[in-house]
Amino acid sequence: MSYTAEHKQQTRTRIVECARELFNRKGFAQVSIDEVMERAGLTRGGFYNHFKTKEDLFVEAVEAYRHFNPAARWPEVDFDPTCGGNRFAQQLIHAYLSQTHLDDVDGHCPMIALPSDVARASPRVKQAYRELLEGMAGVLADGVPKSRGHDARQRGLALAALCIGGMVLARTFEDTDFRCEIREAARATALELIG
């Protein structure tokens, strides 16, 4: 039976999304191809119609987050991808450091869920991760008021590190109040820095 290109793309997207969620929950090394395909409702043999290796899937799972729209997954989050500048940077900070994002382990950004896995990964995975980080830092840098006199890229990278690091630490602890305190401290400081 021959499938349409659209069906193949939908299947590939489903595999990537299932893998991304499993990687978020367990880490790259602890997830098998069989587990990904089972979650996607497919057989292992079907994996090789879309990817040569598990690493290829890892790269695509990281890259897929570049197109993530928080409002599509979390309707209660105020996020308009069409706005720009300072307003968009503020929305990104609010969405990224939201309780909703913290509670949604499956929906976590790979920069929160997978830094240790990426540190041990191939250059291709590291490059995808870097592009994701630089994209976030670029949005944040565009939101930095020009009057501040600081290097926008430096400020964007620092803000991204604050947001990501805050969520990594908040995710680490089980104490709900402490998790919230870490997240809120990172969000308040990031918003203050963005102006």
Side-chain angles (χ1 to χ4, degrees):
M1 173 188 228
S2 179
Y3 291 106
T4 66
E6 181 181 352
H7 179 269
K8 287 180 182 176
Q9 184 55 48
Q10 288 172 346
T11 301
R12 184 183 184 95
T13 300
R14 187 167 79 240
I15 293 168
V16 170
E17 181 61 16
C18 290
R20 192 183 63 73
E21 290 176 357
L22 286 167
F23 294 157
N24 279 359
R25 287 199 171 271
K26 298 179 166 190
F28 176 74
Q30 300 303 315
V31 175
S32 69
I33 291 171
D34 289 335
E35 194 173 0
V36 170
M37 296 306 283
E38 181 180 336
R39 184 166 183 147
L42 302 164
T43 62
R44 180 186 176 92
F47 177 86
Y48 298 101
N49 292 328
H50 300 278
F51 303 97
K52 290 181 181 175
T53 66
K54 185 178 160 191
E55 180 184 278
D56 291 339
L57 176 59
F58 194 16
V59 169
E60 198 158 322
V62 171
E63 288 175 342
Y65 211 82
R66 288 192 332 215
H67 309 290
F68 183 78
N69 179 351
R73 186 167 179 111
W74 311 312
E76 66 276 12
V77 170
D78 180 27
F79 192 81
D80 177 6
T82 63
C83 73
N86 186 266
R87 175 80 178 116
F88 188 62
Q90 288 178 4
Q91 286 183 358
L92 177 61
I93 290 167
H94 279 292
Y96 204 87
L97 289 161
S98 69
Q99 186 64 45
T100 304
H101 186 194
L102 181 59
D103 291 342
D104 183 8
V105 175
D106 289 345
H108 276 179
C109 170
M111 292 187 293
I112 296 168
L114 302 170
S116 295
D117 292 289
V118 172
R120 293 185 292 270
S122 72
R124 288 180 53 230
V125 174
K126 289 178 182 174
Q127 182 60 36
Y129 195 82
R130 178 180 177 157
E131 288 171 9
L132 184 60
L133 172 61
E134 288 189 338
M136 180 180 186
V139 167
L140 294 170
D142 286 345
V144 174
K146 304 292 184 238
S147 63
R148 293 268 171 123
H150 297 288
D151 177 78
R153 177 174 166 82
Q154 180 182 5
R155 173 83 46 122
L157 285 168
L159 283 163
L162 175 61
C163 292
I164 296 160
M167 290 295 277
V168 168
L169 287 175
R171 176 181 158 137
T172 303
F173 300 100
E174 293 182 15
D175 180 322
T176 305
D177 292 338
F178 191 47
R179 288 164 56 101
C180 185
E181 185 180 5
I182 293 167
R183 184 186 54 73
E184 284 293 336
R187 182 165 65 171
T189 302
L191 290 170
E192 182 181 328
L193 291 172
I194 202 85

